[in-house]
Amino acid sequence: MTRFSEISRRFYLKNSVTPFEEDSTHEFKGHRNISAEEVPPWCYIPGTDRRSRKAVSRNINGFLNTGKGGTIYLGIVDEGKVKGLLLTQYQRDHVRIAVKDALSRYTPPVPEECYKVEIIPVIDSEEKVDESTAFLDLQDDSCNEVDSNCLRPHILRTSDFCWCDSHAKEQFSEGFPPSLYVVEITVFPWKKQQLKIERGCIQFDLHPVYEDEEGKCHFRRQASLVQYSVQEVVELTKAEIKNHFMPLLLSLRDEMKTIRDRHKLHS
């Protein structure tokens, strides 16, 4: 679970279990393949176009299209156990950039104010909070002008290793393993839907529906995703508008009936 230390730094305890399960607003992932292109070839099921591992982008797309928001936890496996991901400073930068790149390729592109990416340290025990290097590493996430690697472009949209992965491998071989982290990708709920009447026209501010980088449209349904066609999205939108206005229509109908009944009594 997530806890706070005395100096208000959030962290996860390794092998702890989250107090929530996967549902309509929580999704667990044990990897960091953000876009569809990042999923390794060996994840494809032979003879099909299906994959044993799915890109994180699908879940972001589902949370956006449902309109209720949600959080994806990279480094927490399906049963809710915190494992963490080994990430260097440059790999943490890579994750942030990969998320931004994937969402910029949505149709329409997703504004940055609609989501956030947070990287939370994972420690072995609560007693080791103060001596954990993970917090110190996070302080170095801001780009240092002296460090030329901060300005080095990352290799995106591929399952091949980026230079930051090769750098991490070199560090590990030299006896400097990176720290563990959980990456939280939070999609904010859509602002409250508003009904406006301007110049005699009714405008209903529905949340937008996005296609992901593969041109697919997903919706979150409990702890799973459902893919819809354009026509199905149209029908869903009609149903959403109907569900929103039906109580108002029924109320107006009852009010009109009351007025007619009163008019009959006085006529």
Side-chain angles (χ1 to χ4, degrees), residues 73-89:
Y73 302 84
L74 312 186
I76 299 181
V77 294
D78 285 343
E79 59 269 23
K81 181 173 286 190
V82 177
K83 292 297 184 182
L85 301 174
L86 291 169
L87 298 172
T88 64
Q89 174 190 346

Side-chain angles (χ1 to χ4, degrees), residues 13-216:
L13 289 177
K14 187 177 180 181
N15 293 323
S16 63
V17 178
T18 59
F20 49 84
E21 299 178 347
E22 287 187 310
D23 54 24
S24 59
T25 57
H26 299 92
E27 173 70 21
F28 303 142
K29 291 290 183 185
H31 64 84
R32 58 182 178 93
N33 300 137
I34 305 299
S35 66
E37 300 95 333
E38 294 180 19
V39 178
W42 50 263
C43 290
Y44 282 85
I45 300 173
T48 71
D49 59 352
R50 292 182 298 163
R51 293 163 285 194
S52 58
R53 176 184 294 184
K54 305 295 178 61
V56 175
S57 176
R58 298 169 70 255
N59 300 97
I60 299 176
N61 184 250
F63 285 140
L64 283 166
N65 289 338
T66 307
K68 298 178 181 179
T71 302
I72 303 146
Y73 302 84
L74 312 186
I76 299 181
V77 294
D78 285 343
E79 59 269 23
K81 181 173 286 190
V82 177
K83 292 297 184 182
L85 301 174
L86 291 169
L87 298 172
T88 64
Q89 174 190 346
Y90 305 128
Q91 287 175 313
R92 297 195 296 273
D93 291 340
H94 185 115
V95 172
R96 296 187 182 98
I97 294 169
V99 171
K100 183 177 180 179
D101 175 73
L103 298 189
S104 71
R105 293 187 286 143
Y106 276 29
T107 305
V110 182
E112 290 187 47
E113 61 266 22
C114 292
Y115 66 93
K116 68 177 179 179
V117 179
E118 294 182 285
I119 299 181
I120 314 300
V122 175
I123 61 175
D124 286 330
S125 67
E126 205 163 352
E127 289 74 23
K128 295 183 178 180
V129 174
D130 291 333
E131 60 189 66
S132 174
T133 59
F135 291 109
L136 296 176
D137 288 344
L138 282 178
Q139 294 175 6
D140 295 331
D141 275 2
S142 57
C143 186
N144 188 334
E145 293 182 0
V146 179
D147 188 352
S148 59
N149 279 331
C150 283
L151 304 177
R152 188 175 177 182
H154 287 264
I155 302 173
L156 305 173
R157 308 181 190 182
T158 176
S159 60
D160 295 337
F161 276 179
C162 176
W163 64 263
C164 64
D165 300 313
S166 300
H167 176 270
K169 188 176 180 181
E170 291 174 6
Q171 278 196 318
F172 189 88
S173 64
E174 294 173 2
F176 300 101
S179 300
L180 287 169
Y181 297 91
V182 166
V183 179
E184 297 179 353
I185 304 173
T186 300
V187 174
F188 299 123
W190 180 247
K191 58 187 177 181
K192 188 176 181 181
Q193 297 172 352
Q194 297 179 346
L195 177 64
K196 300 178 182 178
I197 300 178
E198 295 182 358
R199 299 179 181 178
C201 296
I202 297 177
Q203 296 182 354
F204 189 46
D205 190 15
L206 285 170
H207 63 81
V209 175
Y210 297 90
E211 289 183 339
D212 65 13
E213 73 277 11
E214 293 186 292
K216 297 178 181 178

